Structure formats: structure tokens, C-alpha cells
Amino acid sequence: MEHLIKNTKRQSETKIKSTRNLKDLEKVYIEIFGKDSLLTNLTKNIANLPKRKRPKHGQLINITKKEIESLFEKKRNSLKIQKPKAIIDITRPGQKQPIGHFHLVSQAIEEIVAIFSKLGFSLQSYPEVDWDWYAFESLNMPKNHPARDDWETFFVKTPPDPKYGQQVLTPHTSNGQVREMERVKTPASPRGGQGGPPIRMLNIARCYRRQIDVSHTPMFHQFEGLLIDKKVSISDLKGTFDYFTTRFFGPQRVTRLRPHHFRFTEPSFEVDVTCGVCLGRGCRICKSGWLELGGAGMVHPKVLKNGHIDPKEFMGFAFGWGIERTIAMKTDLPDIRLLYQNDIRFLEQF
Ligand code: PHE
């Protein structure tokens, strides 16, 4: 019997020691002191002992119970004290939040705006879903004209307006040209027209075309410049491009104008920039040494008329370039679709 009591005590001690939280400790308590526990059974067994042995064993069991109880008490207290161990250690270095940065396209937009604002161009914004009139017809592209095919347009299924025609997702930022002429003409306009030219507009917007491959995404961005004044020449246009390219791409890159055709400019050009890899000598990437930046030209008199500006008094130039393409030419991106795959491993490099 004495032996059994000692054993129960030892077992209880190990169990209490090995518990790690208060919940487990209470479970162990029930195991030891519960109805069917060893200790309870030992107490019950006293009745079966010869009378003279009963007091001694009774006492021994009571002492053991008290000892175990006090072990419980100690353990309970120590587990309760453990909690505050989780108190914040203010000497540990803090956890840094990962810091992001603007997307490449937003970075380029900021840079482009900053460069052109030095030349006095102010940023305007025009609708991304616009009337056929602004996107095509006012730009000297009559309905059903084959030149429209170049713009791979998405049409919006809404009833056409009798005057402005159907709505389209703007395939270029040139829809801002006649809108800007109208804005400056109207002194009462909320964005403060001064009654007419001069105009120095920069219009940056999303554009949409039915095209996708290494150099096209169905949604992309363009920046459009429009300058209208009394005397404007092609050398002003060329000078503007040179200013932009040397600042955006670096002083070693130069531009050239190549004759082209747009219905809304006369004469029209394509603007090329020397390749960033070979700097114009010709390499595997560019072949000729030149990369195409975008379209430009002197504003067509019909477009000025559509914007209620007298072509006898005023003239100007316009250009429209893709932002993604411009980025690709600066960073030697092989595929502009990378810009929209949201792969952090790619984006965090810039
Ligand atoms: N809108 C033309 C395009 O998307 C570019 C352009 C703009 C050409 C202005 C001439 C003048 O290709």
C-alpha cells in the first residue's frame, strides 16, 4: 500500500511537470483527483485494510494529496506567469513593411509630363470612350474611309448620335486634338479656355486596339502633343523631339523624320530614334540602327477648321506615341506584354 501511494505521487509529479499550458494542467488534475483516479481508489481501499493500519495509511494519503495539490498550485502559478513572457521586446529590430514603387508605365508618364512641361505643354485629359467624330471624322477620316482600318477599333454598342456618330474605345489620343481646340476657344469652359490659340497640349490616355503580340497589347497608353500658334515650322517639331529624346533616352540618342501619311497631318512623318543597343550602327535587334517611335506631322487645315480655328491665321504640329513602346526602347524590353503580366520579379527590377 505504501508503495502504491509513493508510485502515485511520482506519476503525478511527472505528469504535472510535463504540462505546457493551463488547459492541459486541468486535465491532469482530473486524472489524479477525479472520481475514478488512482488517488481516489487508494482512499476507498483504506476500508479494506485491517483496522490498526487504517489511521497510518489515511494520514499518508492525506499528506500525499496535499503535496500533489501544492505541486499543482505551483505549476498553475508558473503557467500564469509565463504569459507575460510574450511582452514585446522593444530592443528587437522592427519588421519592415515592404516598400513598393510606381509601375513602369506610371513612372514613364511622370517623366514625360515633366519633360514636356519644361517646354510649356500642359497636361489635359480627354475621354477614353469617345464619339466617332472626335476619334476619326474630325481628323479628316470620313465614314468608311479605308485609312480607318489602321486603327483596329473597338466599337461600343450604343445607339449612334445623329451628329457625333457611334462611340468607340479611343484607338489613339488624337481624339483630344479637336476637343482641345474647342476647349481653348470657349472662355467659359470649366477648364479655362483663353478664347483661342496658342495651344500647347499634352494628352496622355489609355488607348485600345484589336491587336496583341510582342509589340502590341489591346490596352496601351499614348501621349499626344499638340502645338498651335501663328508661326510654327517643321523645325519646331524636330527641335521638340530632339529635346524630348535627349532627356528621356539620354544625350547619345538622336531622332530622324521619315515621310509617312496620316489623314490629319500634312506633311506627315514617322519619328525614329537611334537604337539604344548599337546607337545607330545597326544590330540584330534594330537591323537598320533606328527604332520607330510614333507618328507626327503638321496639323491638317481641315482639322483646324473642325476645331473652329482659322487655318489662314494659325498652324501647328501634332505627334502621338505609344508609352509602352517608348519604355521598351529605353529599357530594351523584348516583349511589351511583360508590362501587364503583373509578375513582381519583373516589375521590381525597375
Ligand atoms: N494618332 C496617330 C497614331 O495613333 C499618331 C499621330 C498623332 C500622328 C498625331 C500624327 C499626329 O498612330
Side-chain angles (χ1 to χ4, degrees):
M1 186 77 178
E2 262 174 60
H3 176 70
L4 269 178
I5 296 172
K6 272 190 186 157
N7 234 356
T8 313
K9 192 183 162 193
R10 218 176 300 132
Q11 275 181 20
S12 307
E13 269 174 3
T14 14
K15 277 193 178 171
I16 293 170
K17 262 191 191 161
S18 64
T19 52
R20 292 276 165 269
N21 56 53
L22 286 170
K23 216 172 148 195
D24 290 346
L25 189 69
E26 292 322 311
K27 271 189 204 155
V28 174
Y29 187 86
I30 291 167
E31 264 174 53
I32 296 169
F33 289 103
K35 261 188 184 173
D36 206 23
S37 66
L38 269 176
L39 214 54
T40 316
N41 286 335
L42 283 175
T43 320
K44 282 181 193 160
N45 271 338
I46 290 178
N48 301 332
L49 290 174
K51 253 194 178 168
R52 58 183 170 85
K53 284 195 177 174
R54 285 181 201 169
K56 193 182 159 204
H57 282 98
Q59 268 175 2
L60 193 59
I61 289 177
N62 276 342
I63 291 167
T64 312
K65 271 187 182 172
K66 275 194 185 132
E67 282 171 350
I68 298 176
E69 280 280 11
S70 85
L71 283 180
F72 266 111
E73 210 38 50
K74 271 190 197 154
K75 184 75 182 183
R76 239 179 235 127
N77 288 338
S78 82
L79 284 176
K80 275 183 200 157
I81 298 165
Q82 253 182 28
K83 264 204 173 157
K85 269 194 182 161
I87 274 178
I88 301 160
D89 175 1
I90 54 160
T91 60
R92 281 180 58 179
Q95 268 186 354
K96 273 194 189 149
Q97 289 295 322
I99 298 174
H101 62 66
F102 279 129
H103 189 273
L104 224 63
V105 171
S106 307
Q107 287 180 29
I109 288 175
E110 280 195 352
E111 218 177 311
I112 292 163
V113 171
I115 294 170
F116 280 103
S117 72
K118 290 232 170 72
L119 295 179
F121 285 79
S122 70
L123 189 64
Q124 302 295 337
S125 91
Y126 290 110
E128 279 173 28
V129 181
D130 208 351
W131 302 107
D132 181 292
W133 166 258
Y134 289 109
F136 292 116
E137 197 145 356
S138 69
L139 298 171
N140 197 23
M141 286 188 273
K143 289 206 172 57
N144 301 319
H145 195 283
R148 289 180 172 218
D149 289 353
D150 293 343
W151 276 271
E152 305 270 5
T153 313
F154 289 109
F155 291 88
V156 180
K157 262 195 188 163
T158 46
D161 179 271
K163 194 167 152 208
Y164 295 111
Q166 214 170 338
Q167 283 189 319
V168 298
L169 301 190
T170 49
H172 57 176
T173 40
S174 299
N175 69 313
Q177 290 193 15
V178 168
R179 281 190 175 275
E180 174 70 357
M181 296 176 202
E182 287 173 349
R183 181 187 74 83
V184 295
K185 268 271 170 184
T186 326
S189 98
R191 280 180 292 160
Q194 72 274 23
I199 289 175
R200 282 184 195 186
M201 171 203 77
L202 189 66
N203 172 29
I204 302 187
R206 290 191 193 92
C207 302
Y208 305 85
R209 289 187 200 177
R210 284 185 290 113
Q211 269 184 326
I212 184 157
D213 57 44
V214 289
S215 52
H216 297 91
T217 49
M219 187 284 299
F220 61 103
H221 297 74
Q222 277 193 345
F223 61 107
E224 179 104 3
L226 177 71
L227 183 141
I228 293 174
D229 213 325
K230 294 242 152 131
K231 255 187 108 187
V232 183
S233 69
I234 296 174
S235 44
D236 294 325
L237 170 149
K238 178 74 165 68
T240 306
F241 298 162
D242 287 344
Y243 182 85
F244 171 73
T245 22
T246 46
R247 266 151 199 83
F248 190 81
F249 295 108
Q252 67 284 37
R253 312 267 298 257
V254 294
T255 56
R256 75 171 179 193
L257 301 180
R258 206 160 23 83
H260 196 72
H261 181 261
F262 292 107
R263 294 274 306 173
F264 38 96
T265 44
E266 182 58 38
S268 302
F269 310 100
E270 265 287 53
V271 185
D272 294 339
V273 172
T274 43
C275 165
V277 177
C278 66
L279 296 179
R281 265 170 272 128
C283 67
R284 256 193 356 197
I285 292 169
C286 63
K287 298 194 175 73
S288 65
W290 296 91
L291 297 166
E292 182 194 315
L293 199 73
M298 303 305 287
V299 181
H300 197 289
K302 274 198 184 159
V303 179
L304 290 171
K305 268 190 209 152
N306 287 334
H308 316 290
I309 289 174
D310 183 359
K312 284 193 206 94
E313 200 184 344
F314 292 104
M315 56 178 86
F317 67 74
F319 55 88
W321 301 338
I323 291 189
E324 288 79 357
R325 175 173 293 214
T326 315
I327 293 170
M329 287 161 64
K330 188 174 181 174
T331 56
D332 303 321
L333 255 196
D335 184 342
I336 68 163
R337 289 172 297 190
L338 281 167
L339 291 169
Y340 294 115
Q341 280 161 1
N342 263 349
D343 187 336
I344 201 84
R345 290 167 304 176
F346 166 73
L347 294 173
E348 69 189 358
Q349 294 174 48
F350 299 94

